[in-house]
């Protein structure tokens, strides 16, 4: 069965939010109403780069990237930096390389927008995500952090080629 990726349209946001919610719930990280509202707002942000994956007419994956900011998101926008804040695939589709397809499309869209570097943070113990990001060309930057939950996270980056004319 073929999976396609594309930029999300506003009418995709509800299905993308549902993929995100179901994937988190399957990982025992069920989001509460406040978090759901924040993600809904991020999806609707005009500066967001939202990519979706479809299979047999069903939205099965979503990725959200944003302009990268100084001070780990608290500062000014840094030209050329694209921050990937979400990569989620519906639990029924895990293991089908849909995450790779989503990241490939984000990379292409980021190059078209003139970005020169992709970055993301992920859990140090999230082996499935670490394998995905490694296959997609991301490498550890050497930076680490700690979430309020106590989870250790690592920073990964991937340089991008210059925008094609």
């Amino acid at each position: 069965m073929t999976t396609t990726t594309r930029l999300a349209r506003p009418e995709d946001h509800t299905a993308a939010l549902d993929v995100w919610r179901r994937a988190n719930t399957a990982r025992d990280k069920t989001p509460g109403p406040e978090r759901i509202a924040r993600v809904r707002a991020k999806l609707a942000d005009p500066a967001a780069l939202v990519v979706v994956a479809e299979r047999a007419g069903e939205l099965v994956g979503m990725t959200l990237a944003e302009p990268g900011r100084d001070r780990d998101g608290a500062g000014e926008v840094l030209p050329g930096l694209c921050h990937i804040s979400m990569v989620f695939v519906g639990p029924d589709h895990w293991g089908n390389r849909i995450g790779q397809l989503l990241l490939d499309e984000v990379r292409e869209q980021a190059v078209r927008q003139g970005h020169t570097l992709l970055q993301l943070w992920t859990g140090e113990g999230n082996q499935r995500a670490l394998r995905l990001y490694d296959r997609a060309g991301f490498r550890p930057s050497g930076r680490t952090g700690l979430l309020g939950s106590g989870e250790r996270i690592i920073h990964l980056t991937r340089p991008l080629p210059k925008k094609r004319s």
Side-chain angles (χ1 to χ4, degrees):
M1 196 173 305
T2 302
T3 302
T4 59
T5 57
R6 61 174 171 77
L7 287 174
R9 297 181 293 262
E11 58 268 23
D12 296 320
H13 292 173
T14 298
L17 185 70
D18 186 56
V19 166
W20 167 82
R21 184 192 50 75
R22 286 185 295 112
N24 273 301
T25 300
R27 294 173 39 222
D28 292 325
K29 295 184 176 190
T30 303
E34 289 177 13
R35 180 75 175 129
I36 291 169
R38 280 188 24 221
V39 171
R40 182 177 283 119
K42 281 181 167 279
L43 289 168
D45 184 337
L49 170 58
V50 182
V51 170
V52 294
E54 286 181 308
R55 180 178 270 191
E58 176 190 3
L59 200 143
V60 296
M62 61 82 68
T63 304
L64 185 139
E66 322 171 65
R69 295 181 172 274
D70 196 16
R71 298 191 341 257
D72 292 327
E76 297 296 317
V77 169
L78 295 172
L81 181 62
C82 183
H83 175 74
I84 298 173
S85 59
M86 296 180 195
V87 179
F88 288 95
V89 174
D92 296 344
H93 300 279
W94 288 352
N96 292 318
R97 304 267 188 210
I98 294 170
Q100 181 70 51
L101 293 171
L102 288 163
L103 288 171
D104 289 348
E105 184 66 23
V106 166
R107 182 188 69 239
E108 289 299 316
Q109 294 296 331
V111 168
R112 284 187 191 115
Q113 292 182 7
H115 294 289
T116 57
L117 183 69
L118 290 173
Q119 74 166 11
L120 58 85
W121 290 87
T122 194
E124 186 177 68
N126 190 342
Q127 293 303 311
R128 174 180 278 158
L130 289 169
R131 284 190 304 273
L132 167 64
Y133 298 136
D134 182 65
R135 282 192 312 269
F138 286 84
R139 299 295 174 256
S141 70
R143 296 176 59 210
T144 61
L146 197 62
L147 296 177
S149 64
E151 180 183 9
R152 295 192 53 76
I153 56 174
I154 62 172
H155 184 249
L156 304 171
T157 62
R158 179 181 177 177
L160 296 173
K162 292 195 189 275
K163 181 178 179 179
R164 298 176 201 114
S165 303

